[in-house]
Amino acid sequence: AGKSGKHEIIITEIPYQVNSVEKYGNGSVKKITFLFFAEIPPVGYRTYYMKPVTREPSISENSSIRASNTSLENDFYILEINAANGGITRIFDKELGVEMINPKTPGNELFSPENPAASSTTARAKTELVEKGPLRATIKISSKIGNAPYNCLISLNSNIKRIDFDLNVDYGKAGLIFGQRSNRETDR
């Protein structure tokens, strides 16, 4: 027979990573932003309860995350970035033993649909490690495509075979429209 109307409660500490803490003037905590990986059943839900603790989260000694301003590594990938222009010079898949991109043709090259000569590889980039913890590390690349500023966040997680990219391009600053091809003859 099923457990009709009953819920199983399991109390356990799960790995988490504190990303930011805001405090009130008196030092008490106002807001905490943190990350944890939820395990959700295929058809259903799981409720997680958080409770305050007085100690820092224990850093997993077997975390596979290694990171700097220009490189990210976990159990699955090695990713390297050219600090000068923000191009990805290497993505190595450790499980397959394969280089995923040609180092002579960098990845993450961005260009303007209005002006293909305006490329991210021609502008100076700033790369910075903006998140590093036992569960995830993120590099932020800031540069321009022509006159359009952009930020690209690249993240690796400790237990997921995936590279996350979050790209924000402000084509409005350069007076361009992204994703819409202009037909010069019909625009007149």
Side-chain angles (χ1 to χ4, degrees):
K3 297 180 181 180
S4 177
K6 294 188 179 194
H7 301 280
E8 182 180 3
I9 297 177
I10 300 171
I11 300 174
T12 184
E13 184 173 320
I14 60 172
Y16 66 99
Q17 173 179 317
V18 176
N19 289 337
S20 67
V21 178
E22 289 181 38
K23 294 189 176 187
Y24 290 105
N26 66 3
S28 63
V29 175
K30 178 180 181 181
K31 177 182 174 183
I32 297 177
T33 304
F34 64 97
L35 169 74
F36 71 96
F37 295 119
E39 293 183 23
I40 310 295
V43 178
Y45 68 94
R46 180 162 287 139
T47 303
Y48 289 86
Y49 296 95
M50 276 62 71
K51 68 177 192 173
V53 294
T54 56
R55 59 180 169 65
E56 292 288 322
S58 60
I59 303 297
S60 172
E61 290 183 17
N62 55 2
S63 173
S64 67
I65 299 286
R66 286 168 291 292
S68 71
N69 284 337
T70 58
S71 68
L72 296 172
E73 182 176 352
N74 64 9
D75 285 338
F76 307 107
Y77 295 109
I78 299 172
L79 187 140
E80 296 174 357
I81 297 168
N82 179 328
N85 64 24
I88 297 174
T89 56
R90 183 177 193 210
I91 299 177
F92 180 73
D93 185 314
K94 293 179 174 183
E95 287 184 332
L96 300 176
V98 174
E99 292 289 346
M100 304 300 288
I101 62 173
N102 180 344
K104 295 178 183 175
T105 310
N108 199 40
E109 179 182 358
L110 307 171
F111 63 92
S112 164
E114 288 283 325
N115 178 9
S119 166
S120 61
T121 60
T122 59
R124 187 91 182 130
K126 176 183 175 189
T127 62
E128 93 183 277
L129 184 62
V130 294
E131 177 184 36
K132 183 180 180 189
L135 301 182
R136 181 173 67 195
T138 302
I139 292 176
K140 179 180 179 181
I141 302 169
S142 302
S143 189
K144 290 185 174 186
I145 307 163
N147 293 324
Y150 80 88
N151 291 308
C152 182
L153 299 174
I154 304 174
S155 301
L156 283 183
N157 296 295
S158 64
N159 61 351
I160 301 171
K161 187 175 183 178
R162 181 181 74 209
I163 302 170
D164 293 324
F165 291 84
D166 183 2
L167 176 65
N168 182 333
V169 182
D170 189 350
Y171 275 110
K173 292 236 189 287
L176 300 173
I177 300 171
F178 181 70
Q180 180 178 343
R181 194 167 290 273
S182 175
N183 184 340
R184 298 288 180 210
E185 291 181 21
T186 59
D187 287 349
R188 293 181 185 169

